[in-house]
Amino acid sequence: MSHLPDHDPVVVWHATAGADALAALASTPSGLTADEATRRLARHGPNRLPARPPVPAWRRFAAQFNNVLIHVLLAAGAVTATLGHLLDAGVIFGVVLVNAAIGFVQEGKAERAMAAVRGILSPRAIVSRGGARLDVDAAVLVPGDVVHLQSGDRVPADLRLIRVRELRVDESVLTGESLPVEKSPEPVRAEAPLGDRVSMAYSGTLVTAGQATGLVVGTGMATEIGRISALLAGVTPLTTPLLRVLAVFGRWLTGAIVLLAAGTFAFGLLARGYSASEMFLAAVGLAVAAIPEGLPAIITITLAIGVQRMARRRAIVRRLPAVETLGSVSVICSDKTGTLTRNEMTAQRIELAGGPVTVTGGGYAPVGQLLRGDAPLDVQAEPDLARLLEAAMLCNDSGVHLEDGAWRVDGDPTEAALVVAGMKAGLDARLLNDRQPRDDEIPFDSEHRFMATLHHDADGQAWVYLKGAPEVVLPRCERVALGGHETPRDPGYWDARVTALAEAGQRPLAVAYKAVPPERRSLYRDHVTEALVLLGVVGILDPPREEAAAAVARCAAAGVRVKMITGDHAGTAGAVAAALGIGRGPVCTGARLDALDGPALEREALAVDVFARVSPEHKLALVTALQAGGHVVAMTGDGVNDAPALKRADVGVAMGVKGTEAAKEAAEMVLADDNFTTIADAVEEGRIVYDNIKKAILFILPTNAGEAFTLVAAIAMGATLPVTAAQILWVNMVTAVTLALSLAFEPAEHDVMRRPPRHADEPMLSAFMWWRVALVSALMVAVVTGLFLWEIEHGSAVEQARCVSVNALVCLEIFYLFSTRFLNAGVLSLRGLLGNRYVLLSVAVVLGLQVLFTYTAPMQTLFRVAALEAEQWIRIVVCASAALFLVEAEKTAVRAWRRRRAHGGTPGGRGPAAWSPGESDPR
C-alpha cells in the first residue's frame, strides 16, 4: 500500500462499486496505515480550501478614489485651493475622504466570501487507520481514508459510501433540495445529477439520521464544495448600471468643461482683447461654475439614505451602489427552498376513501384547520381521519417543540409534518404514546421504504401501524377504511390519488394498520407483507410563502420577471411555481441545459421561467446568459451552491435567517427576514433612489450651466463679470449641501412600481431632460445677466450689482427646486409645495445663509459685496419665480402632448402604457 495510483480526475465515483473504489485508491475496509496516510497528506495537501491572500487595507482604500466623478471633485478642490479659498478646498477634500471611508467600510467584507465557504467544513472526523478508529482533525484526511459517519455529523470530505445503515443527509447547501436524501451504497448511473448520487456523501453536508462508512475520494479543492469555491474565486463581479452611466457621464462632462474653459479663454484673449491674466481667472471661474463638485457627495448620501430605508424594510445592503442597481433589475432569479418556500415540510392534503381533506396552515406551528371543501371537520366525528392521524403520530420518531417563540423540529422534517397535522386536529402525541405504548418497531430504510411499529392498548389489543412510500404500502393493503368499517381497496382509484398528489408537487406517504394477536411482542418484516388496512395517503410539501405570490405579482406589474432556479425535482419545482404564478414554458432541467450551446442557452434562459435539478455551474451560466441578453439580474439564494451566481449577478440577494455565511458574503444584499416580499420592497426603494439621483442631477446641472454661461455671456459681450469665481463657489457649496441634498429624501412618486425597468445602459439624462437643462440654464443666464445690467445702468456699484446676481442665482435655484421634486407631475399643490419637510428646512437654511452673506461685514469683505435694498429683493423674487412657473407650464404642455400621443393623436405614437421592459423612460 506504499504507492497510491495517480488520481484519475475522470473517475465517476458515484457510478463505481464500493469494492472497486477501494481498489482504485489502494485502500482496504480497515483503512490506511499511519505512514501511508502521512505520505498521501504530503502529496495531496491538507483537506482545506486554500486561503487567498487578502487585499491590503490601503489598496482597498485607494480603490475608492478610482472614479471619474471623484477625480472631478479633486480637480474642483485643487482649483478652489489655487484661488486661495483653503477653507472651501478643505470642505471639498473632506467630502472626498468621507465618500472613500463609506465605500471602504461598506465593501471591506467582500474578501470574506472564501473564508465563509472554508468555515463550513467539518473540523473533526472519525477515521479507521491501521484497523483502529481515531478521532482526527478533518484537515489530515486523504484520499483512501475510511471515515465513519453518524447522525449530527458534518461530512468532512467527499465520500464514496461503502456501508450504510438508514443514512439520510441534508444536502440543501449544495442542491437546494428540501428533504434529506436517503443514501445507499449501490452505484448509480454515471450521468446522475448531484442530487441523485445516493452512493456519495459530500463535504459540508449534514447527516440527519443513520450511520455509514465511506471512502474518501476527494479532499480540499478536489471536493464538490472545493469546486464551488473555485467557481466563486473565478467569478468577476460586474460594475453597477449607475456607476457605468456615471463613468461615461463624468468623462463627457469633464471633457466638455475643459473645452468650454479653453474656448472661452481663447475667445476673450483674441476676440475681446482681455489680458491673459484676466482670462485665466475667468476660465478658472468658469470651470468652478461648471464643475458639479457637490454631485458625488449628493449621490453617495442619496445611496446611504436608500440603505437606511431598506434596512427599515428588512433588507440589509452591503455595497452602496447595489441600492440603485435594484431599481434597474429586470429579472429576479430566485432559489426555491427557503426563499419562495418556507423550507418547512407541511402536510397539505389527506386522501381518504371518503374523500379528500385539506390541511391549512404552513410550517411547523400547529396552527390550522382540517377542511372538507370549505367546512371545518370535527375529527372525533371522522373515525377514518382520526385513526390515520393517530397512526401517523404513533409510527413516528420525530416531533416539534417551542423554542424562543419559534417551533423547532426534533428529527426528520417529513415525520414532523405528520405530527403537526395531528396537533392541528387536537391530538397529543405524548398522550397517544401513553395509551398505546410502542413494543417494537421496524425502522425506515431506503431499501424497503417503510416504517412499522407495534403497540398494545389498555384493553390488551395489539396493533401494527405502518407508513411509507405508496408503491410499497398499497400492494400490502387488501382493504381500506371507510366510515369506521373496511371495504375492498380499489387499486385504480388509489393510484390516481397518488398520481394527483405527485403532480401537485407533494410527496405522497401512505398510512395503514393491522390488528395482530395480543400475545405478539416482536415485529418482523414478514408480519407486514399483507392483509393491512389502508387508512389513506398524506400529501406533504414544502409550501410556498403565503406572501410570495403577491410579491411575484407586484414584480410582474413593475415589469420585473421572476425565474425559479432550484436543485429540487422538476415536479416539485413546477408545482410550487404554478402556485406562485411563475411559469412561462415547461420546466427545464439541468440535463437539458448541458445539451445547449451558448446561443441556445441564452434563448432557453430568456424563454423559460422554471429550472430544476441544476448545479452551481448551471446557475452561474443562466445568470451570465440573462446578462448577455441585456437584463439586469438579481439572484437570490441561501446555500453554498448559490454563492458563485450571487457574486456574478448584478445584485446578489442572500437569505439572512437560513442562509449560509458563504451566500451572505458573496451577496450585495441580505434579507433579514428571508421574505421574497422584501425583494419587491427593495426594488421599489432602488427605483426611488434612482429617481432622486436623477432629480439631483437635473437640479445641479442647469444651475451649474447657468452660472457658467452667465460668465460666457459676459465675456462674449465684453462686459464686467456678473459674479466672481469665489461667489460662484459659495453658491455651489451652499446650495449643494442644502437644496440638492433635500432631494435625497423625496418619497416615491405614484407610478414608481408601474413603470417598466429602465435599460441598464440608458443614459442618465434623456433628450427631454437635456431640453429641461437648456431651458432652465437659459432662464438663469437671462435673469442674472439682466438684473446685473439693470443695477449697473441705474447707478449701483459693482459690489451691490454682484450681490444682486448672487442672490438671484440662489432664489432661482430655490424656485426651481420645488419644480424638480416631481419629474413630470405638477407641484403647484399642497403635496408639491409642502410634501417634503427637508426641502422646506433647506430653503430656510439657505435664506439664512444668504442674509449673512448680504448683510454681515466679514462676508461682505470676503466676497466683495454690498447690502441690498428692499426693492432690489422684490425684483429678485419676482424674476426668480419664473423658474417655477416656466417649468410648470412646460410640464403641463408635455403632459397634454403625451395624452394626445397615448390616445392616437400622434400618427404611429404610443403612450407610456405601451412601453416594454428595457425601453428608455422618456422622462
Side-chain angles (χ1 to χ4, degrees):
M1 200 189 296
S2 61
H3 174 67
L4 171 67
D6 289 335
H7 178 62
D8 185 354
V10 301
V11 172
V12 183
W13 295 110
H14 57 269
T16 304
D20 294 338
L22 283 166
L25 291 175
S27 185
T28 67
S30 60
L32 304 173
T33 66
D35 290 342
E36 179 64 17
T38 301
R39 283 191 289 270
R40 296 192 183 191
L41 183 63
R43 174 180 295 189
H44 292 276
N47 178 34
R48 63 169 66 99
L49 303 182
R52 187 174 58 183
V55 178
W58 68 266
R59 184 174 295 175
R60 288 195 287 111
F61 184 74
Q64 306 303 319
F65 297 91
N66 189 23
N67 181 288
V68 174
L69 283 180
I70 296 299
H71 299 165
V72 173
L73 198 58
L74 290 171
V79 171
T80 307
T82 301
L83 292 172
H85 297 282
L86 299 181
L87 180 61
D88 293 329
V91 171
I92 295 175
F93 291 131
V95 168
V96 173
L97 290 174
V98 169
N99 180 75
I102 291 174
F104 180 76
V105 171
Q106 289 285 336
E107 300 180 15
K109 297 180 181 179
E111 296 299 320
R112 292 170 52 195
M114 297 300 298
V117 175
R118 293 193 297 272
I120 75 166
L121 295 177
S122 175
R124 308 293 298 177
I126 303 297
V127 60
S128 288
R129 292 262 174 93
R133 288 198 180 194
L134 304 175
D135 184 347
V136 301
D137 188 331
V140 304
L141 292 179
V142 296
D145 264 328
V146 174
V147 172
H148 305 280
L149 301 175
Q150 60 184 357
S151 180
D153 285 351
R154 184 76 66 177
V155 179
D158 281 5
L159 306 180
R160 172 59 173 89
L161 298 173
I162 302 172
R163 289 188 295 273
V164 170
R165 180 175 174 81
E166 301 171 13
L167 183 72
R168 278 176 277 181
V169 180
D170 180 357
E171 296 182 336
S172 60
V173 296
L174 287 177
T175 66
E177 185 168 353
S178 308
L179 294 171
V181 178
E182 302 164 10
K183 295 295 184 176
S184 166
E186 298 303 318
V188 298
R189 67 187 193 282
E191 64 274 13
L194 185 67
D196 293 337
R197 297 173 190 173
V198 296
S199 59
M200 296 289 295
Y202 289 104
S203 177
T205 59
L206 181 67
V207 178
T208 61
Q211 299 174 335
T213 299
L215 175 71
V216 175
V217 296
T219 60
M221 290 298 290
T223 61
E224 188 70 21
I225 202 168
R227 186 174 60 80
I228 294 175
S229 177
L231 279 177
L232 184 61
V235 173
T236 302
L238 301 179
T239 186
T240 70
L242 176 65
L243 294 183
R244 292 198 296 269
V245 170
L246 286 179
V248 174
F249 179 71
R251 288 194 296 268
W252 181 91
L253 184 61
T254 302
I257 290 171
V258 171
L259 289 176
L260 180 63
T264 303
F265 177 87
F267 179 82
L269 187 66
L270 300 176
R272 289 291 181 241
Y274 289 100
S275 67
S277 60
E278 287 177 315
M279 284 313 303
F280 176 77
L281 290 175
V284 168
L286 192 153
V288 170
I291 292 174
E293 59 267 20
L295 184 57
I298 294 298
I299 291 174
T300 298
I301 293 170
T302 303
L303 292 172
I305 292 170
V307 167
Q308 294 173 351
R309 284 176 167 174
M310 288 188 180
R312 288 194 292 269
R313 300 179 80 166
R314 312 292 289 170
I316 311 302
V317 175
R318 299 179 62 250
R319 295 181 62 239
L320 278 181
V323 180
E324 173 277 330
T325 309
L326 280 160
S328 60
V329 163
S330 57
V331 174
I332 298 174
C333 295
S334 177
D335 190 28
K336 176 186 72 68
T337 304
T339 308
L340 292 167
T341 67
R342 301 173 61 93
N343 197 19
E344 297 173 337
M345 301 306 295
T346 305
Q348 292 196 322
R349 191 175 178 89
I350 301 174
E351 293 288 350
L352 303 171
V357 173
T358 301
V359 184
T360 67
Y364 300 119
V367 178
Q369 292 181 306
L370 279 69
L371 310 175
R372 178 167 284 132
D374 295 327
L377 290 178
D378 178 4
V379 176
Q380 301 304 320
E382 297 280 343
D384 300 338
L385 177 60
R387 192 68 182 271
L388 180 146
L389 294 172
E390 289 174 1
M393 297 178 79
L394 289 168
C395 185
N396 200 308
D397 289 329
S398 301
V400 295
H401 70 279
L402 190 61
E403 179 182 321
D404 297 328
W407 287 90
R408 311 291 184 186
V409 174
D410 301 316
D412 182 79
T414 301
E415 288 195 324
L418 297 173
V419 173
V420 172
M423 294 171 69
K424 290 176 181 178
L427 302 180
D428 187 319
R430 185 175 301 177
L431 291 177
L432 286 175
N433 281 288
D434 289 342
R435 293 170 185 167
Q436 296 190 51
R438 184 185 301 184
D439 295 309
D440 200 6
E441 67 182 83
I442 300 173
F444 181 90
D445 64 62
S446 57
E447 180 181 356
H448 297 93
R449 303 182 67 190
F450 73 84
M451 174 184 180
T453 56
L454 173 64
H455 302 260
H456 282 75
D457 60 21
D459 297 328
Q461 291 182 301
W463 306 95
V464 171
Y465 298 116
L466 182 142
K467 72 176 191 307
E471 58 268 29
V472 173
V473 176
L474 293 183
R476 302 167 187 250
C477 299
E478 299 174 0
R479 305 178 70 78
V480 61
L482 177 62
H485 303 286
E486 299 174 8
T487 185
R489 181 177 67 90
D490 180 352
Y493 173 84
W494 287 102
D495 288 346
R497 296 299 88 209
V498 170
T499 300
L501 290 174
E503 289 177 347
Q506 299 180 31
R507 180 186 182 184
L509 202 64
V511 182
Y513 79 99
K514 180 180 182 180
V516 295
E519 61 273 13
R520 181 167 294 168
R521 296 292 173 176
S522 299
L523 188 62
Y524 301 97
R525 286 195 174 88
D526 58 3
H527 294 159
V528 291
T529 57
E530 59 183 4
L532 276 83
V533 179
L534 179 65
L535 291 168
V537 181
V538 183
I540 299 174
L541 178 69
D542 178 12
R545 291 179 177 271
E546 292 82 353
E547 65 279 9
V552 169
R554 187 178 174 201
C555 289
V560 180
R561 194 164 162 188
V562 178
K563 294 178 181 287
M564 178 192 292
I565 304 178
T566 178
D568 213 338
H569 293 281
T572 303
V576 172
L580 293 170
I582 301 173
R584 184 180 300 180
V587 176
C588 177
T589 64
R592 171 169 170 75
L593 292 177
D594 286 332
L596 301 177
D597 58 9
L601 175 62
E602 185 175 325
R603 289 192 296 271
E604 190 79 358
L606 294 172
V608 178
D609 287 340
V610 184
F611 298 87
R613 272 297 189 240
V614 295
S615 67
E617 290 93 342
H618 293 141
K619 294 184 179 185
L620 185 57
L622 287 169
V623 170
T624 305
L626 288 167
Q627 289 169 334
H631 287 281
V632 176
V633 181
M635 171 72 192
T636 73
D638 56 4
V640 176
N641 59 320
D642 298 320
L646 288 172
K647 187 176 179 183
R648 170 68 190 188
D650 297 277
V651 182
V653 183
M655 302 299 108
V657 177
K658 296 182 179 178
T660 61
E661 287 302 313
K664 296 174 189 176
E665 293 298 334
E668 283 78 22
M669 188 175 83
V670 179
L671 302 184
D673 56 2
D674 286 11
N675 194 329
F676 188 83
T677 302
T678 306
I679 301 175
D681 294 339
V683 169
E684 180 180 6
E685 288 293 346
R687 293 187 174 193
I688 295 171
V689 166
Y690 187 79
D691 274 2
N692 291 348
I693 290 174
K694 185 181 286 188
K695 291 171 185 177
I697 293 174
L698 194 58
F699 173 77
I700 290 174
L701 283 190
T703 56
N704 283 68
E707 295 163 3
F709 283 107
T710 296
L711 299 181
V712 171
I715 292 170
M717 294 185 296
T720 303
L721 297 181
V723 286
T724 66
Q727 291 167 352
I728 287 173
L729 186 60
W730 163 264
V731 173
N732 284 355
M733 293 304 296
V734 166
T735 57
V737 299
T738 53
L739 301 182
L741 181 58
S742 68
L743 293 171
F745 297 91
E746 280 294 314
E749 295 200 29
H750 70 281
D751 63 340
V752 69
M753 287 298 281
R754 295 201 294 272
R755 313 171 193 156
R758 73 179 191 279
H759 195 279
D761 296 325
E762 175 185 311
M764 181 60 69
L765 298 178
S766 63
F768 171 73
M769 293 180 72
W770 277 118
W771 152 254
R772 175 78 61 79
V773 170
L775 175 67
V776 176
S777 300
L779 175 64
M780 287 188 170
V781 171
V783 170
V784 172
T785 303
L787 286 174
F788 178 79
L789 295 176
W790 171 280
E791 294 298 329
I792 294 296
E793 290 179 3
H794 288 75
S796 297
V798 172
E799 291 78 7
Q800 192 175 48
R802 282 178 171 165
C803 190
V804 168
S805 297
V806 171
N807 281 291
L809 274 173
V810 172
C811 288
L812 280 162
E813 294 189 23
I814 289 174
F815 279 107
Y816 178 53
L817 174 69
F818 283 97
S819 189
T820 310
R821 286 198 57 220
F822 300 155
L823 292 171
N824 290 301
V827 297
L828 297 179
S829 64
L830 287 178
R831 178 172 177 264
L833 298 176
L834 305 177
N836 184 346
R837 66 178 183 275
Y838 295 101
V839 167
L840 302 178
L841 178 62
S842 68
V843 169
V845 170
V846 167
L847 291 177
L849 291 172
Q850 285 308 115
V851 169
L852 295 176
F853 175 88
T854 305
Y855 295 106
T856 60
M859 298 293 280
Q860 290 174 348
T861 302
L862 181 62
F863 290 102
R864 298 177 184 177
V865 294
L868 301 184
E869 303 293 336
E871 60 188 40
Q872 292 171 312
W873 278 110
I874 293 173
R875 282 195 294 272
I876 290 171
V877 172
V878 171
C879 293
S881 64
L884 173 62
F885 296 113
L886 179 63
V887 173
E888 288 305 298
E890 177 237 30
K891 286 183 185 179
T892 301
V894 170
R895 289 196 301 272
W897 173 78
R898 285 179 177 166
R899 282 194 296 270
R900 290 196 301 272
R901 189 183 183 204
H903 289 88
T906 302
R910 54 185 187 141
W915 301 339
S916 61
E919 285 189 334
S920 296
D921 186 337
R923 297 175 301 171

